[in-house]
């Protein structure tokens, strides 16, 4: 009989128990990387939000710490929603969204609250809370959609970008400023979205990278209107310039951060090596959550942290995973010629690990790499030469995430920016996730899969001619 497969990821940040969504308060503090997250400790479903907490020295091995914030005040009783962290005078501050108890009309307001810690483990909410009440909203901005403050410093001041919704039902980012983190004032509408860019923007993040100003946000209902949460694998990066006279962000371009099916609410930090590192919730709203349905008692995983760079205005992303594969030497096979056929390569298989590929695709029509394969199931990573597209298809990967008949929803793809001879791929497989990194940093596709039987097969298919120059699989425990 088959062994029941376990879906809990091994080398990604996962909750010890219960539910996880957005990364929060991602920061390097006193030498360690701290990751907080939206956490419901009492159930594998979303519920009254707490802030879970873990730390790491290498961004891959995480140590669980006590819950940092619990919804225990009138101003956050409905939940301690997403937010961020900053260090000031050696102390660690968290700015988060409190969702208030319902008023007489049954309305929950969203307000911004501060908590502080001297040891990076125990947090106290400040007396002044909420430090940004609903009264501090500009005209027309919704007091029930005002959340996810991300802190940064500029020119000796503290700022927070905060997600908001306009009266017309578009997303926007508001900017607030403070000298001391306690007293805040509204500064500007930092960037206002269009109808095509969703009805609300969640989880903004602002930073400067390689000489450009960058604004990340996760739009709801983008790009298709009227279809709840279709968008939610789309988090956008706007690259542009802030005019610090008016405090407004002027976008020059928008690009998607991930082209897979499960990526949302990314948050970034800059570390002491000067790296801009981004981590995201590797799941989505509006989908079913198999580990909860199966009664496994937990739900959620973060992505592998990635380093972001800009080259000629284009986003590049590289996995931070060196400490996972250190000391391992990949088993590399010699050049393997494949013509209109199927190949299984010796030593190339596994459920959890890093698959590195270098394939000459210049004479390929379509190349398919089947992952997590068993007798009935597999997930496809494909490359279409004519379209120059890299994609992932999980319609036969196991438990359906979106419903049986919704196959188009189970597949996503992206056109690569340049025609390549060599298709370079670093594919990270964990118990229920596949992250495909295009080797030049040009695209990442992150997707959850839930095979119903053990599934460690990897096979290659092609129409046309492919030369698999290198194929290596490094197991990760
Ligand atoms: C994004 C989000 C945030 C909110 C949090 C609640 O996934 O909806 O806007 O703060 O999740 O858990």
């Amino acid at each position: 009989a088959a062994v029941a497969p376990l879906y809990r990821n091994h080398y990604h940040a996962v909750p010890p128990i219960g539910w996880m969504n957005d990364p929060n308060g991602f920061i390097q503090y006193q030498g360690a990387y701290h990751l907080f997250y939206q956490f419901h400790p009492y159930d594998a479903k979303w519920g009254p939000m707490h802030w879970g907490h873990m730390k790491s020295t290498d961004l891959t091995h995480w140590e669980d710490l006590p819950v940092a914030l619990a919804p225990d005040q009138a101003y956050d009783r409905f939940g301690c929603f997403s937010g961020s962290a900053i260090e000031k005078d050696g102390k660690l501050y968290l700015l988060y969204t409190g969702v208030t108890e319902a008023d007489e009309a049954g309305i929950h307001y969203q307000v911004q609250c501060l908590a502080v810690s001297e040891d990076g483990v125990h947090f106290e909410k400040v007396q002044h809370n909420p430090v940004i009440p609903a009264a501090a909203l500009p005209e027309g901005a919704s007091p029930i959609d005002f959340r996810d403050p991300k802190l940064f410093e500029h020119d000796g001041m503290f700022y927070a970008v905060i997600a908001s919704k306009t009266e017309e039902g578009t997303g926007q980012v508001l900017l607030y400023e403070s000298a001391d983190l306690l007293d805040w004032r509204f500064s500007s509408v930092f960037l206002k979205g269009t109808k095509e860019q969703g009805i609300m923007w969640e989880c903004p993040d602002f930073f400067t990278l390689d000489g450009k100003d960058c604004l990340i946000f996760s739009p709801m209902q983008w790009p298709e209107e009227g279809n709840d949460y279709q968008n939610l694998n789309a988090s956008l990066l706007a690259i542009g310039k802030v005019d610090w006279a008016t405090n407004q962000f002027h976008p020059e371009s928008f690009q998607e951060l991930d082209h897979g099916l499960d990526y949302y609410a990314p948050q970034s930090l800059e570390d002491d090596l000067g790296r801009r590192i981004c981590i995201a919730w590797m799941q989505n709203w509006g989908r079913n959550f198999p580990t909860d349905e199966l009664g496994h008692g937990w739900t959620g995983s973060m992505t592998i942290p990635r380093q972001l760079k800009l080259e000629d205005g284009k986003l590049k992303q590289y996995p931070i995973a060196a400490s996972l594969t250190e000391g391992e030497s990949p088993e590399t096979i010699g050049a393997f010629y494949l013509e209109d056929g199927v190949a299984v390569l010796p030593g190339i298989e596994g459920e959890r690990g890093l698959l590195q590929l270098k394939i000459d695709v210049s004479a390929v029509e379509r190349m398919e790499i089947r992952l997590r394969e068993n007798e009935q199931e597999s997930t496809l990573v494909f490359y279409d030469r004519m379209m120059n597209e890299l994609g992932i298809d999980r319609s036969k990967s196991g438990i359906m995430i979106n419903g049986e008949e919704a196959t188009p929803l189970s597949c996503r793809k992206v056109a690569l920016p340049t025609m390549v001879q060599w298709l370079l791929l670093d594919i990270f497989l964990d118990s229920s996730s596949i992250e495909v990194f295009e080797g030049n940093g040009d695209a990442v596709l992150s997707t959850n899969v839930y095979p119903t039987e053990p599934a460690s097969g990897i096979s290659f298919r092609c129409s046309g001619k492919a030369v698999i120059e290198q194929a290596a699989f490094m197991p990760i425990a």
Side-chain angles (χ1 to χ4, degrees), residues 294-428:
L294 293 166
H296 289 192
W298 65 276
T299 299
S301 172
M302 296 297 168
T303 61
I304 290 175
R306 307 173 185 170
Q307 183 171 3
L308 307 186
K309 291 184 187 177
L310 290 185
E311 263 172 41
D312 304 324
K314 283 268 170 279
L315 174 66
K316 297 272 185 175
Q317 301 184 80
Y318 306 95
I320 296 187
S323 66
L324 290 174
T325 48
E326 227 164 37
E328 301 272 337
S329 45
E331 272 186 55
T332 301
I333 56 139
F336 186 92
Y337 297 84
L338 186 60
E339 188 171 349
D340 293 322
V342 184
V344 175
L345 304 178
I348 309 297
E349 64 164 332
E351 301 208 334
R352 275 190 299 276
L354 168 59
L355 173 64
Q356 289 188 315
L357 299 172
K358 181 178 178 187
I359 305 173
D360 184 339
V361 287
S362 45
V364 149
E365 283 160 24
R366 182 182 157 100
M367 181 84 212
E368 241 177 58
I369 303 134
R370 295 200 182 178
L371 304 166
R372 300 302 304 272
E373 192 169 24
N374 59 30
E375 271 178 26
Q376 282 85 37
E377 300 162 341
S378 68
T379 303
L380 268 52
V381 170
F382 59 89
Y383 174 72
D384 179 316
R385 183 66 179 172
M386 192 135 86
M387 308 302 286
N388 196 33
E389 277 171 350
L390 180 65
I392 189 156
D393 181 342
R394 68 162 170 210
S395 57
K396 297 191 174 55
S397 63
I399 297 175
M400 287 303 294
I401 314 289
N402 296 312
E404 232 40 75
E405 64 295 335
T407 309
L409 294 183
S410 300
C411 179
R412 287 197 89 215
K413 57 198 174 186
V414 56
L416 298 178
T418 48
M419 259 319 198
V420 289
Q421 177 186 1
W422 299 106
L423 183 64
L424 302 170
L425 298 175
D426 278 352
I427 304 177
F428 290 88

Side-chain angles (χ1 to χ4, degrees), residues 114 128 131-132 157-158 176-186:
L114 192 68
H128 297 59
V131 291
I132 311 182
M157 288 291 283
F158 294 106
Y176 284 76
E177 66 181 72
S178 171
D180 60 4
L181 298 175
L182 286 171
D183 289 312
W184 289 87
R185 69 172 199 95
F186 169 70

Side-chain angles (χ1 to χ4, degrees), residues 21-22 38 46 49 81-82 147-148 202-203 264-265 281 285:
N21 60 291
D22 313 354
Q38 290 288 280
W46 191 86
M49 281 291 107
F81 275 22
S82 285
R147 56 182 178 269
D148 312 337
E202 298 187 309
C203 300
Y264 198 63
W281 177 37
W285 298 118

Side-chain angles (χ1 to χ4, degrees), residues 96-234:
Y96 69 98
T97 299
V99 185
T100 65
E101 283 175 340
D103 67 5
E104 312 82 67
I107 297 174
H108 299 276
Y109 291 94
Q110 300 192 343
V111 295
Q112 317 312 318
C113 311
L114 192 68
V116 60
S117 171
E118 307 215 353
D119 62 2
V121 178
H122 304 92
F123 290 85
E124 241 175 75
K125 297 174 184 174
V126 304
Q127 293 296 323
H128 297 59
N129 276 338
V131 291
I132 311 182
L137 276 164
E139 227 183 275
S142 161
I144 57 169
D145 288 295
F146 178 43
R147 56 182 178 269
D148 312 337
K150 178 69 167 37
L151 290 158
F152 64 96
E153 280 180 86
H154 172 75
D155 220 5
M157 288 291 283
F158 294 106
Y159 289 88
V161 278
I162 307 183
S164 166
K165 187 180 194 169
T166 65
E167 269 172 333
E168 308 92 76
T170 63
Q172 66 180 356
V173 172
L174 303 177
L175 185 70
Y176 284 76
E177 66 181 72
S178 171
D180 60 4
L181 298 175
L182 286 171
D183 289 312
W184 289 87
R185 69 172 199 95
F186 169 70
S187 171
S188 67
V189 174
F190 199 52
L191 181 63
K192 193 175 157 174
T194 62
K195 278 251 183 289
E196 294 70 47
Q197 290 172 324
I199 55 158
M200 165 73 192
W201 289 354
E202 298 187 309
C203 300
D205 190 356
F206 174 78
F207 50 87
T208 298
L209 182 63
D210 300 323
K212 290 282 186 185
D213 291 329
C214 295
L215 181 66
I216 286 175
F217 54 92
S218 294
M220 297 172 75
Q221 293 186 357
W222 180 88
E224 281 170 13
E225 268 192 280
N227 200 351
D228 263 354
Y229 300 125
Q230 273 298 294
N231 63 301
L232 288 184
N233 31 58

